[in-house]
């Protein structure tokens, strides 16, 4: 079983990233559980989402406390090192939205022997959407960093999700691909 | 597994089932965490994917009232609610059942106020327990979908004619995406043909619905309703079996896991059943046997099946996602205790209160409950009050 | 059954009865007149929804029913919601399966309409369901034994607004149901009174011809709750109109029309002295309150006349 | 009406489901004429067939005949006296007993 925890802010599509990952894994024959963790938070509040992926049926319905991977969708949340790395398994994976990762994160990753990946999702989003939409680029980055699902499956799922407005589908596909291609391991 | 594998959250899965059931009338008022259900159905209707009347009522009280009217008129009717909405409907719950409507209602289980909370408790489900509605609990998104379809079939069966509630845990299932197999429309159609209403409103056969009963007939009407309600389990079983043949997914009123030879058994409702079973598997790897019993059918309470499931245990921890103030235990505990009075051999029973208002039930919590059960067994005595798990201030 | 026609005399009122005797309403009750009329004026097929109240309890004591048409009671505060469900169901069943669609007629007392059922009524009017909502207003909760409601007129004695030594009856005004209903943008609304049966019949006929929500407000004399002799029900009702306390008017297509003009109103005292609920108002110490009520009645009438003249 | 539910009900097993009264107008079995203290008596010769008593009767216990003359149905008349009161020609008189 592989567990991913997503960190972002309300309105950034954190829940969508997590769900799209789950849907892609589902399509590749895996069992999945995706759940948002939110209360009445509005735009801007820190929110989390969980994705659980397994080759066996998933019965566990609790939150995720010891994730195999953490994805930080909002660059400003990098500095909340304690909160975002909490419970991350040793040798796990950290994927952050940054042109250069925050030193606290770098240090934490070292301590945990975690792979630290970073991508400049801000520039990608501004280029593709003209607005800071990070969720699909960070999904692309995670897919590359984890190798958990194939990029083609993810692109299909993303295209379908935004399919009603084909332009939106196109730009999201582009954003995923760009992030997939430019994400780097520190 | 028959059908198509898709990924949906619990709310959407329920809405999709209602659409496949080709409901005629949806009467509902939004309330978190159920809202996605009615939003999805409104979308289906407005996009022409579902030929139904969507009544956007001004309150839950009216939601159920309109549903009662529509059901009496002969329509297949669906609604959904949660928590405070259920509380506002409460008066009409009794009437919907007594008038023998066949409404199917999804309930995104949520804690009752105060303090106001939008997350999962089973307060709402329990509040409906005496009202004459059939009640089912889904453990995951697949079950939420399956049970919604089966609920229509069961409720509308002429040997039943009672409304149904399909419970799914707020957020944990309503907002959680899982893979599920959905049936082909054609299969659903065959399983669930057009509703054949009994005594529908018909100007050519005028009847009086919901008259006044004084002391001379009220009790006889209740006697009849009781007898009818208590005769529904064989039909439920029959529908479970038929659906099993159709879908490849077998349902039983009581679900058991590892109970054979287990001294310790944990009993639970809803999505927590999966979490408890997960822990039970882990413990089994370490050579410890812990049984898990959960209910798919909550009302009528499956007494006989439950006695059978629990008869081998030495101690049973009955887990309630609720509190009952001043009662000898929370609601599932009281039901279970009473049911076991009819058993030849009774295990030690104690009550666990957990997960209120969405408090997560972690695998660690479950292990604590197992340890507590072992302690009860050692002492040979149950604690007088429920054991609170996962709350600050208790070990 | 075809369209009902407007009438000029009582001879033209259809003989058919869908409301049977043997019910347990009080001797002299003013409710059945509107029920009989509505069931005659609204063409078949039709279905009746009834809120909890005098009419409901007294006409359907199991196994005895006075109703010759389908009749549904669910609870007190939700008649308009139940009717919404029935109407919507028949609409879709007609569309999907060609089932015949009956007209939905709702009866609610003033408690079930002005107060506890107000929200459900407002919702149904806003959603535009095709129904005739008839409020039989006996100006208090008579079913539970004469407690004040939002429809109880100023000055009236009820058991929860007693004519006491310090506070002489209800101090607040009656809600204006018709204007509240009109504010929802409904197509038709009207007041009715049993002493004017031809006017009542024609309003019911018009209501039945209209698609959409209609609100009819029916004056319901109550010998038990108003403390008058049962034989004088119609007399009391007539006086309510003749004193301008209960103006008979209708609202249609944005226009108000007074259907029974009252050129020279009778003294309000004539109306009050017939009824025990108002008799204390004629005592000297309550003169001020009486004058206030008279002013209210006059202002309301003048306002209506002005609205009607605006055409 | 010989098979009316009113006559058939013995135990709870005889009840129709849902608490309905499955046939119309069964209150005809409930003769409210025994509520009556005062009795309206009609002088047919005085009747002008105006139908006011018919329209205002709350039961209804005034039978409208083909020629619009009327008859009082004492099985159901509760003796409220509205008919006597509304009659423009005083053709109906309220009498004690009868």
């Amino acid at each position: 079983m592989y567990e991913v925890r997503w960190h972002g802010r309300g309105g950034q599509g954190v829940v969508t990233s997590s769900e799209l990952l789950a849907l892609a894994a589902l399509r590749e024959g895996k069992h999945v559980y995706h759940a948002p963790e939110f209360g009445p938070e509005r735009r801007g509040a820190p929110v989390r989402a969980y994705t659980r992926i397994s080759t066996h049926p998933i019965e566990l319905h609790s939150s995720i406390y010891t994730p195999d991977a953490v994805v930080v969708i909002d660059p400003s949340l990098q500095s909340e090192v304690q909160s975002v790395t909490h419970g991350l398994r040793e040798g796990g994976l950290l994927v952050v939205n940054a042109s250069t990762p925050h030193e606290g994160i770098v240090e934490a990753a070292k301590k945990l022997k975690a792979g630290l990946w970073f991508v400049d999702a801000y520039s990608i989003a501004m280029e593709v959407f003209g607005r800071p939409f990070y969720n699909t680029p960070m999904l692309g980055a995670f897919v590359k960093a984890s190798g958990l699902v194939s990029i083609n499956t993810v692109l299909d799922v993303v295209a379908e999700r935004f399919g009603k407005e084909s332009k939106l589908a196109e730009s999201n596909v582009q954003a995923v691909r760009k992030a997939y291609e430019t994400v780097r391991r520190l | 597994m028959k059908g198509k594998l898709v990924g949906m959250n619990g709310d959407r899965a329920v809405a999709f089932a209602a659409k496949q059931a080709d409901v005629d009338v949806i009467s509902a008022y939004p309330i978190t965490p159920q809202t996605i259900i009615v939003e999805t159905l409104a979308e289906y209707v407005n996009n022409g994917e579902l030929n139904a009347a969507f009544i956007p009522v001004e309150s839950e009280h009216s939601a159920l009232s309109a549903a009662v009217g529509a059901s009496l008129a002969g329509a297949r009717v669906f609604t959904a609610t949660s928590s405070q909405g259920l509380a506002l409907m409460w008066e009409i719950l009794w009437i919907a059942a007594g008038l023998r409507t066949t409404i199917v209602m999804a309930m995104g289980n949520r804690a009752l106020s105060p303090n106001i909370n939008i997350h999962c408790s089973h307060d709402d489900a329990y509040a409906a327990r005496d009202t004459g509605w059939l009640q089912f609990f889904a453990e995951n998104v697949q079950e939420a979908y399956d049970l919604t379809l089966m609920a229509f079939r069961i409720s509308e069966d002429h040997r039943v004619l009672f409304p149904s509630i399909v419970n799914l845990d707020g957020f944990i299932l309503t907002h959680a995406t899982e893979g599920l197999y959905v049936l082909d429309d054609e299969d659903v159609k065959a399983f669930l043909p057009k509703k054949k209403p009994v005594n529908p409103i018909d100007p050519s056969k005028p009847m009086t619905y919901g008259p006044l009963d004084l002391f001379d007939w009220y009790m006889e009407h209740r006697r009849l309703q009781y007898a009818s309600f208590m005769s529904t389990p064989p039909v439920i079983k029959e529908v479970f079996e038929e659906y099993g043949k159709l879908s490849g997914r077998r349902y039983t009123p009581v679900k058991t896991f590892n109970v054979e030879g287990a001294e310790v058994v944990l009993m639970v409702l809803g999505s927590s059943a999966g979490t408890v079973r997960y822990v039970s598997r882990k413990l089994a790897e370490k050579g410890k046997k812990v049984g898990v019993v959960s209910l798919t059918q909550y009302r009528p309470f499956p007494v006989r099946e439950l006695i059978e499931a629990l008869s081998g245990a030495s101690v049973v921890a009955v887990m309630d996602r609720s509190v009952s103030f001043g009662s000898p235990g929370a609601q599932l505990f009281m039901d279970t205790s009473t049911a076991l009075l009819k058993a030849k051999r009774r295990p030690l029973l104690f009550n666990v209160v957990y997960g209120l208002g969405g408090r997560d039930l972690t695998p660690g919590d479950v292990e604590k409950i197992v340890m507590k059960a072992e302690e009860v067994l050692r002492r040979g005595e149950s604690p007088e009050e429920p054991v609170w798990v996962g709350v600050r201030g208790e070990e | 059954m075809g369209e009902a026609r407007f009438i000029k005399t009582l001879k033209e009122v259809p003989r058919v009865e869908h409301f049977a005797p043997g019910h347990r309403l009080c001797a002299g009750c003013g409710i059945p007149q509107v029920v009989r009329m509505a069931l005659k004026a609204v063409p078949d097929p039709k279905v009746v929804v009834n809120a909890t109240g005098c009419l409901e309890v007294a006409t359907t004591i199991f196994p005895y029913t006075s109703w010759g048409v389908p009749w549904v009671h669910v609870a007190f505060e939700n008649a308009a919601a139940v009717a919404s469900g029935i109407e919507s169901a028949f609409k879709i069943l007609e569309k999907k399966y060609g089932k015949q669609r009956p007209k939905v007629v709702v009866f609610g007392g003033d408690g079930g309409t002005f107060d506890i059922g107000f929200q459900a009524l407002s919702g149904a009017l806003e959603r535009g369901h095709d129904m005739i909502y008839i409020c039989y207003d006996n100006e208090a909760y008579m079913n539970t034994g004469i407690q004040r409601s939002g429809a109880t007129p100023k000055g009236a004695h009820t058991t929860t607004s007693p004519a006491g030594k310090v506070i002489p009856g209800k101090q607040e005004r009656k809600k204006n149901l018709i204007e509240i209903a009109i504010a929802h943008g409904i197509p038709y609304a009207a007041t009715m009174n049993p002493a004017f049966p031809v006017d009542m019949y024609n309003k019911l006929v018009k209501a039945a011809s209209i698609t959409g929500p209609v609100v009819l407000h029916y004056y319901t004399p109550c010998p038990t709750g108003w403390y008058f002799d049962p034989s004088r029900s119609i007399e009391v009702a007539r006086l309510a109109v003749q004193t301008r306390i209960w103006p008979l008017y209708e609202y249609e297509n944005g226009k108000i029309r007074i259907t029974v003009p009252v050129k020279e109103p009778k003294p309000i005292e004539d109306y009050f002295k017939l009824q025990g609920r108002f008799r204390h108002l004629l005592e000297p110490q309550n003169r001020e309150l009486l004058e206030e009520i008279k002013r209210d009645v006059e202002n309301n009438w003048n306002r209506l006349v002005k609205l009607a003249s605006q055409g | 009406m010989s098979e009316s539910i009113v006559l058939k009900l013995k135990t709870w097993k005889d009840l129709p489901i849902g608490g309905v009264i499955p046939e119309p107008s069964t209150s005809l079995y409930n003769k409210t004429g025994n509520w009556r203290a005062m009795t309206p008596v009609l002088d047919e010769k005085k009747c002008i067939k105006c139908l006011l008593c018919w329209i205002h009767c709350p039961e209804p216990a005034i039978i409208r005949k083909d020629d619009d003359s009327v008859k009082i149905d004492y099985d159901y008349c509760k003796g409220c006296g509205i008919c006597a009161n509304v009659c423009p020609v005083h053709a109906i008189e309220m009498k004690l007993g009868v």
Side-chain angles (χ1 to χ4, degrees):
Chain A
M1 191 155 65
Y2 195 88
E3 295 181 320
V4 188
R5 191 172 69 210
W6 303 75
H7 292 261
R9 296 187 183 281
Q12 289 179 334
V14 185
V15 176
T16 308
S17 312
S18 168
E19 192 184 17
L20 289 171
L21 173 64
L23 293 174
L26 180 71
R27 190 161 295 190
E28 294 190 350
K30 304 279 178 28
H31 295 272
V32 298
Y33 177 76
H34 142 79
E37 180 187 285
F38 56 167
E41 289 96 348
R42 298 296 191 256
R43 199 164 283 271
V47 290
R48 297 167 176 209
Y50 305 108
T51 336
R52 202 170 260 143
I53 298 169
S54 174
T55 47
H56 296 288
I58 298 170
E59 296 183 301
L60 183 60
H61 278 104
S62 70
S63 301
I64 289 174
Y65 299 95
T66 51
D68 298 282
V70 164
V71 187
V72 185
I73 283 187
D74 188 85
S76 67
L77 286 171
Q78 269 190 88
S79 54
E80 313 257 336
V81 179
Q82 269 293 332
S83 153
V84 299
T85 60
H86 189 261
L88 178 63
R89 283 178 200 273
E90 222 178 75
L93 187 64
L94 253 168
V95 185
V96 300
N97 176 3
S99 48
T100 38
H102 188 272
E103 49 190 77
I105 281 279
V106 175
E107 206 174 303
K110 244 181 226 161
K111 245 189 233 164
L112 288 163
K113 300 187 184 97
L116 177 60
W117 293 67
F118 66 103
V119 65
D120 184 3
Y122 175 80
S123 300
I124 294 172
M126 292 312 282
E127 188 194 328
V128 175
F129 304 110
R131 274 189 278 174
F133 291 161
Y134 303 136
N135 60 344
T136 42
M138 289 312 291
L139 175 62
F142 173 76
V143 169
K144 174 70 181 245
S146 67
L148 208 58
V149 284
S150 103
I151 183 67
N152 288 331
T153 313
V154 172
L155 291 175
D156 285 350
V157 168
V158 168
E160 277 166 40
R161 166 58 60 96
F162 299 100
K164 279 179 202 154
E165 300 160 72
S166 55
K167 238 189 168 162
L168 196 61
E170 215 172 280
S171 42
N172 273 294
V173 163
Q174 202 187 333
V176 172
R177 201 189 293 276
K178 267 206 155 77
Y180 182 84
E181 284 162 2
T182 58
V183 67
R184 280 179 295 149
R185 186 174 182 158
L186 191 76
Chain B
M1 215 69 80
K2 210 169 168 190
K4 196 174 94 185
L5 179 66
V6 296
M8 275 189 214
N9 68 32
D11 275 356
R12 283 190 190 280
V14 167
F16 189 75
K19 182 184 100 155
Q20 286 192 308
D22 190 28
V23 292
D24 300 309
V25 174
I26 302 132
S27 158
Y29 192 77
I31 181 169
T32 307
Q34 159 278 117
T35 306
I36 304 167
I37 300 177
V38 296
E39 284 175 341
T40 307
L41 284 165
E43 260 176 52
Y44 288 146
V45 171
N46 284 12
N47 289 333
E49 294 170 66
L50 172 62
N51 192 6
F54 185 91
I55 317 177
V57 282
E58 80 296 333
S59 74
E60 283 90 354
H61 194 280
S62 285
L64 194 54
S65 299
V68 168
S71 187
L72 292 179
R76 178 170 288 164
V77 185
F78 178 81
T79 186
T81 197
S82 296
S83 173
Q84 305 304 118
L86 184 280
L88 186 55
M89 282 180 177
W90 196 74
E91 178 195 25
I92 310 304
L93 290 176
W94 294 82
I95 300 169
L99 294 180
R100 309 294 294 271
T101 68
T102 60
I103 300 160
V104 171
M105 173 158 75
M107 187 132 73
N109 300 115
R110 162 180 156 182
L112 280 167
S113 298
N115 288 351
I116 189 165
N117 173 288
I118 55 171
H119 291 105
C120 187
S121 274
H122 291 154
D123 299 342
D124 43 16
Y126 290 152
R129 69 190 172 145
D130 300 326
T131 61
W133 286 60
L134 305 163
Q135 280 203 64
F136 305 98
F137 269 89
E139 185 189 311
N140 51 41
V141 173
Q142 178 77 67
E143 291 192 5
Y145 166 83
D146 290 338
L147 288 169
T148 303
L149 284 180
M150 285 189 275
F152 281 108
R153 172 70 185 271
I154 293 164
S155 281
E156 291 173 12
D157 190 296
H158 287 195
R159 296 163 294 171
V160 176
L161 299 171
F162 283 104
S164 290
I165 290 172
V166 176
N167 291 290
L168 62 159
D169 285 349
F171 287 100
I172 306 167
L173 296 181
T174 57
H175 286 61
T177 299
E178 296 181 335
L180 72 152
Y181 288 88
V182 295
L183 296 173
D184 297 338
D185 289 352
E186 289 311 306
D187 284 337
V188 174
K189 216 173 200 173
F191 175 72
L192 202 55
K194 179 172 171 274
K195 172 175 164 176
K196 289 195 189 77
V198 172
N199 289 348
I201 295 170
D202 178 358
S204 70
K205 256 170 59 193
M207 295 192 193
T208 292
Y209 305 82
L212 175 73
D213 253 354
L214 294 177
F215 40 72
D216 54 352
W217 283 108
Y218 181 88
M219 203 160 164
E220 280 74 15
H221 274 127
R222 279 294 191 254
R223 182 69 189 87
L224 172 64
Q225 189 183 338
Y226 180 80
S228 309
F229 196 73
M230 296 313 278
S231 70
T232 56
V235 185
I236 297 172
K237 218 174 246 175
E238 196 182 299
V239 174
F240 280 180
E241 274 162 24
E242 194 187 320
Y243 191 81
K245 278 182 207 140
L246 173 67
S247 66
R249 293 181 292 279
R250 313 266 160 196
Y251 284 83
T252 48
V254 175
K255 219 191 285 186
T256 57
F257 177 76
N258 266 356
V259 290
E260 207 102 331
E263 284 200 305
V264 173
V265 169
L266 270 48
M267 186 176 160
V268 72
L269 293 173
S271 65
S272 305
T275 302
V276 174
R277 209 179 299 118
Y278 171 86
V279 173
S280 169
R281 283 186 209 277
K282 293 266 165 200
L283 293 174
E285 283 168 17
K286 295 182 200 160
K288 184 185 276 193
K289 195 153 197 192
V290 172
V292 184
V293 170
S294 59
L295 305 184
T296 300
Q297 175 193 317
Y298 170 62
R299 279 293 182 272
F301 199 71
V303 174
R304 212 161 26 81
E305 291 89 339
L306 196 60
I307 289 174
E308 204 175 302
L310 298 178
S311 60
S314 301
V315 60
V316 178
V318 183
M319 297 167 62
D320 270 289
R321 203 161 198 149
S322 165
V323 186
S324 175
F325 299 102
S327 299
Q331 293 86 342
L332 184 63
F333 178 77
M334 287 195 284
D335 278 343
T336 306
S337 309
T338 313
L340 287 180
L341 286 175
K342 291 171 187 153
K344 285 201 186 85
R345 190 193 154 276
R346 278 200 298 278
L348 282 166
L349 282 174
F350 73 103
N351 195 192
V352 173
V353 168
Y354 80 99
L356 307 188
R359 177 62 49 85
D360 196 26
L361 178 74
T362 67
D365 292 334
V366 179
E367 284 180 40
K368 270 185 212 155
I369 296 166
V370 171
M371 275 153 60
K372 184 74 197 176
E374 289 166 344
E375 186 196 319
V376 168
L377 189 57
R378 270 199 308 276
R379 286 197 189 160
E381 193 182 39
S382 301
E384 250 176 59
E385 286 191 3
V387 176
W388 290 62
V389 169
V391 67
R392 295 181 184 89
E394 306 270 326
E395 344 77 88
Chain C
M1 297 288 272
E3 300 275 300
R5 290 176 300 112
F6 292 115
I7 60 166
K8 289 203 173 68
T9 71
L10 289 184
K11 302 252 181 207
E12 298 168 75
V13 174
R15 289 163 187 275
V16 62
E17 294 285 355
H18 292 296
F19 186 75
H23 58 74
R24 304 2 143 67
L25 285 159
C26 296
C29 178
I31 304 171
Q33 291 86 339
V34 71
V35 174
R36 289 177 59 210
M37 278 290 200
L39 298 184
K40 288 167 188 287
V42 179
D44 288 332
K46 54 193 166 250
V47 46
V48 167
V49 178
N50 204 165
T52 306
C54 286
L55 177 62
E56 171 261 330
V57 301
T59 62
T60 65
I61 303 177
F62 189 87
Y64 304 102
T65 180
S66 287
W67 298 85
V69 296
W71 178 96
V72 182
H73 162 253
V74 175
F76 193 4
E77 68 282 58
N78 62 355
V82 174
S84 303
I86 293 174
E87 184 254 8
S88 301
F90 275 111
K91 245 183 185 161
I92 192 75
L93 293 175
E94 182 184 46
K95 198 171 140 203
K96 277 170 104 162
Y97 310 114
K99 216 174 153 178
Q100 196 182 26
R101 178 151 73 98
K103 188 82 178 178
V104 180
V105 181
V106 189
F107 290 103
D110 47 302
T113 304
F114 281 66
D115 295 346
I116 201 169
F118 190 63
Q119 174 180 311
L121 174 61
S122 177
L125 298 182
E126 182 267 330
R127 292 188 300 271
H129 295 281
D130 186 16
M131 63 170 76
I132 302 172
Y133 189 100
I134 300 171
C135 171
Y136 65 93
D137 178 5
N138 48 27
E139 304 196 318
Y141 303 145
M142 298 315 186
N143 192 35
T144 42
I146 326 170
Q147 294 80 31
R148 95 189 266 290
S149 78
T152 303
K154 191 187 277 185
H157 163 95
T158 70
T159 57
T160 50
S161 65
K165 284 179 189 144
V166 182
I167 304 173
K170 190 187 172 194
Q171 297 297 293
E172 303 80 22
R173 275 188 208 172
K174 184 185 179 87
K175 279 188 202 175
N176 191 327
L177 178 68
I178 292 290
E179 292 190 18
I180 293 167
I182 291 171
H184 287 80
I186 61 172
Y188 186 73
T191 59
M192 307 190 296
N193 182 298
F196 297 83
V198 174
D199 179 74
M200 169 156 68
Y201 186 87
N202 286 335
K203 283 169 176 167
L204 285 160
V205 168
K206 185 168 285 176
S209 74
I210 285 167
T211 305
V214 164
V215 173
L216 300 174
H217 188 193
Y218 170 75
Y219 179 93
T220 312
C222 175
T224 308
W226 298 359
Y227 311 101
F228 66 80
D229 186 273
S231 68
R232 306 185 84 165
S233 261
I234 302 302
E235 200 181 332
V236 169
R238 187 175 297 113
L239 270 170
V241 174
Q242 290 170 334
T243 52
R244 293 179 173 168
I245 282 175
W246 190 273
L248 285 169
Y249 65 102
E250 65 183 4
Y251 164 88
E252 191 183 10
N253 299 328
K255 286 178 193 164
I256 297 271
R257 189 172 76 87
I258 294 173
T259 57
V260 177
V262 184
K263 295 247 161 59
E264 282 169 43
K266 292 200 167 159
I268 279 170
E269 287 86 344
D270 288 7
Y271 178 69
F272 283 177
K273 71 185 174 204
L274 267 184
Q275 304 171 57
R277 63 172 175 158
F278 289 127
R279 224 159 271 148
H280 58 285
L281 296 176
L282 303 175
E283 288 164 13
Q285 71 272 23
N286 292 327
R287 177 175 299 253
E288 216 171 289
L289 181 56
L290 178 68
E291 291 307 318
E292 194 183 311
I293 293 168
K294 284 183 177 177
R295 273 198 306 278
D296 285 353
V297 170
E298 195 182 337
N299 289 342
N300 186 47
W301 178 267
N302 290 339
R303 212 169 50 84
L304 260 184
V305 170
K306 200 173 155 200
L307 285 171
S309 71
Q310 284 165 356
Chain D
M1 293 277 266
S2 61
E3 280 176 41
S4 170
I5 180 178
V6 175
L7 306 172
K8 278 191 303 199
L9 291 176
K10 296 263 177 331
T11 79
W12 64 269
K13 289 175 184 163
D14 304 323
L15 289 171
I17 67 158
V20 298
I21 303 171
E23 60 191 73
S25 311
T26 49
S27 67
L28 289 170
Y29 284 93
N30 184 44
K31 306 257 167 106
T32 48
N34 61 4
W35 290 29
R36 200 168 58 241
M38 299 285 283
T39 298
V41 178
L42 170 72
D43 182 345
E44 285 176 31
K45 280 173 281 175
K46 284 192 191 167
C47 176
I48 56 167
K49 304 178 182 179
C50 70
L51 296 176
L52 277 172
C53 58
W54 174 70
I55 209 81
H56 289 307
C57 179
E59 302 316 323
I62 306 270
I63 296 162
R64 176 182 175 182
K65 296 195 222 164
D66 285 345
D67 66 347
D68 284 347
S69 66
V70 294
K71 196 178 109 183
I72 295 163
D73 188 343
Y74 292 112
D75 276 351
Y76 303 105
C77 171
K78 293 174 188 156
C80 70
I82 287 180
C83 53
N85 204 304
V86 298
C87 180
V89 293
H90 306 289
I92 302 174
E93 196 186 333
M94 298 304 291
K95 291 187 174 166
L96 196 62
V98 187

